[in-house]
Amino acid sequence: MARRIRAATVEDFLLARGHEFSEFEGGDWDPGVRVAQAGRRMVTVFWDGPGEADQLKAIEAELRVGGFHVVATQQDRGGRRRLEVTLP
């Protein structure tokens, strides 16, 4: 069973590796990473902006090297791609 994880843990990890986070400005999201708590044992990572698939693939590799368990998923009917991040 996965251990507890906080979105702040994943955010700090990605910030330390130079990733920029998206912000909601002018009615739209700026390009960058967005991290959301998805329960006590899972965090979801999104990429806002162009190159979503490639950016998430690179972030997935970094998170795996950092010791996180990562599952790449996509919302139903061709929706947003995301990474589901847990601690083993």
Side-chain angles (χ1 to χ4, degrees):
M1 179 183 283
R3 296 182 292 162
R4 289 181 124 182
I5 186 172
R6 299 195 185 281
T9 302
V10 176
E11 286 178 2
D12 291 344
F13 179 84
L14 294 173
L15 277 172
R17 278 144 190 84
H19 289 280
E20 296 199 16
F21 285 79
S22 62
E23 294 183 27
F24 192 75
E25 292 181 343
D28 203 5
W29 287 96
D30 291 337
V33 176
R34 190 162 35 98
V35 178
Q37 192 73 44
R40 295 182 343 183
R41 292 182 170 85
M42 186 169 65
V43 170
T44 306
V45 177
F46 296 93
W47 175 263
D48 296 316
E52 179 184 50
D54 293 335
Q55 293 292 337
L56 285 176
K57 186 175 262 189
I59 292 168
E60 178 182 0
E62 288 181 47
L63 288 167
R64 286 180 190 273
V65 168
F68 296 94
H69 177 75
V70 184
V71 176
T73 63
Q74 186 169 4
Q75 295 171 336
D76 291 339
R77 290 173 259 175
R80 300 278 319 266
R81 290 178 172 93
R82 61 186 170 206
L83 303 175
E84 296 175 350
V85 183
T86 59
L87 287 173

